[in-house]
C-alpha cells in the first residue's frame, strides 16, 4: 500500500513539477523562487496526500496562493526601500555635510545633545521633543539655545584657527 502511494506520488511529481515550476517562473520572473514555490506546493500536497482528491488542482491553487504571498512580500519590501531611500536622500540634504559639525554635536553634553538630535536631525517639533524627554517645552528651548551657542563658539574658534 505504502509502496504504491509512494510510486503514485513520484509519478505525479515527475509529470507535474516541471510544468508547475515553469508556470511559477512566469509569475515571479525568477527561477530560484519559482522552484521554491513549486517545491513548497508539493510539500503541502504530501502533508495532505491521503485527503486531497484532485492533486493537480491542489498544487496549482497552493502555488497561486504562495505566489500571491510572494508578491505581497515583494511590494512591502519595495515600499520599505522607497521609504528608506527617500529618508536617506532627505537626510543628505538636511544634515550638515561637515563631519566636524557632527563631531561637535556628539561632543555636547547629553542634556543638550538629545534635543539637538531630535529637533534638528529627526525634524521633531519642540512639543514632541518635550514629550519624549519628559522636560518642559521652555527647558527644551533653553537647551536648544545653549547648544546652538556652544556649537557657534566652537565653530568660530575652529574657523579662527584655519584662517
Amino acid at each position: 500500500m505504502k509502496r504504491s502511494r509512494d510510486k503514485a506520488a513520484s509519478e505525479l511529481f515527475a509529470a507535474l513539477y516541471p510544468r508547475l515550476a515553469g508556470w511559477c517562473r512566469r509569475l515571479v520572473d525568477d527561477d530560484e523562487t519559482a522552484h521554491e514555490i513549486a517545491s513548497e506546493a508539493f510539500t503541502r500536497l504530501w502533508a495532505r496526500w491521503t485527503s486531497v482528491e484532485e492533486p493537480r488542482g491542489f498544487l496549482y491553487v497552493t502555488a497561486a496562493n504562495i505566489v500571491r504571498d510572494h508578491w505581497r512580500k515583494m511590494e512591502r519590501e519595495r515600499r520599505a526601500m522607497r521609504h528608506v531611500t527617500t529618508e536617506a536622500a532627505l537626510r543628505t540634504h538636511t544634515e550638515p555635510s561637515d563631519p566636524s559639525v557632527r563631531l561637535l554635536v556628539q561632543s555636547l553634553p547629553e542634556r543638550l545633545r538629545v534635543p539637538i538630535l531630535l529637533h534638528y536631525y529627526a525634524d521633531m517639533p519642540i512639543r514632541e521633543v518635550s514629550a519624549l524627554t519628559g522636560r518642559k517645552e521652555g527647558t527644551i528651548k533653553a537647551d536648544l539655545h545653549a547648544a546652538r551657542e556652544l556649537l557657534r563658539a566652537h565653530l568660530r574658534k575652529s574657523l579662527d584657527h584655519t584662517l
Side-chain angles (χ1 to χ4, degrees), residues 1-17 42 45-46 49-50 52 55-56 59:
M1 176 85 161
K2 184 179 180 331
R3 188 181 285 292
S4 65
R5 194 173 73 197
D6 288 348
K7 185 175 188 225
S10 292
E11 289 172 359
L12 183 74
F13 184 83
L16 294 181
Y17 184 85
F42 269 96
L45 173 63
W46 301 152
W49 184 248
T50 56
V52 173
R56 184 175 186 272
L59 286 169

Side-chain angles (χ1 to χ4, degrees), residues 68-84:
R68 184 195 64 226
D69 293 343
H70 171 76
W71 287 343
R72 286 178 180 163
K73 178 183 174 208
M74 296 306 292
E75 181 55 33
R76 283 191 304 270
E77 288 175 1
R78 274 193 289 275
R79 270 186 266 145
M81 284 304 292
R82 276 195 305 266
H83 181 72
V84 167

Side-chain angles (χ1 to χ4, degrees), residues 84-159:
V84 167
T85 306
T86 302
E87 277 187 359
L90 290 174
R91 221 178 7 256
T92 58
H93 293 301
T94 58
E95 285 185 3
S97 58
D98 186 359
S100 63
V101 173
R102 189 176 337 120
L103 292 173
L104 285 174
V105 169
Q106 289 173 350
S107 72
L108 289 171
E110 185 175 351
R111 176 183 67 80
L112 303 177
R113 183 178 59 243
V114 171
I116 287 284
L117 291 173
L118 293 175
H119 185 64
Y120 291 108
Y121 286 78
D123 202 28
M124 290 184 184
I126 290 173
R127 181 181 315 112
E128 199 171 337
V129 174
S130 169
L132 285 171
T133 59
R135 299 193 315 222
K136 295 180 179 176
E137 286 184 39
T139 304
I140 297 299
K141 288 177 184 178
D143 288 346
L144 288 171
H145 176 74
R148 284 191 307 268
E149 289 301 314
L150 272 174
L151 292 171
R152 190 174 292 124
H154 284 296
L155 287 171
R156 266 196 206 115
K157 201 182 304 179
S158 66
L159 281 176

Side-chain angles (χ1 to χ4, degrees), residues 27-42:
L27 294 173
V28 298
D29 200 31
D30 178 59
D31 280 335
E32 187 176 333
T33 304
H35 284 287
E36 287 175 12
I37 291 169
S39 296
E40 177 63 23
F42 269 96

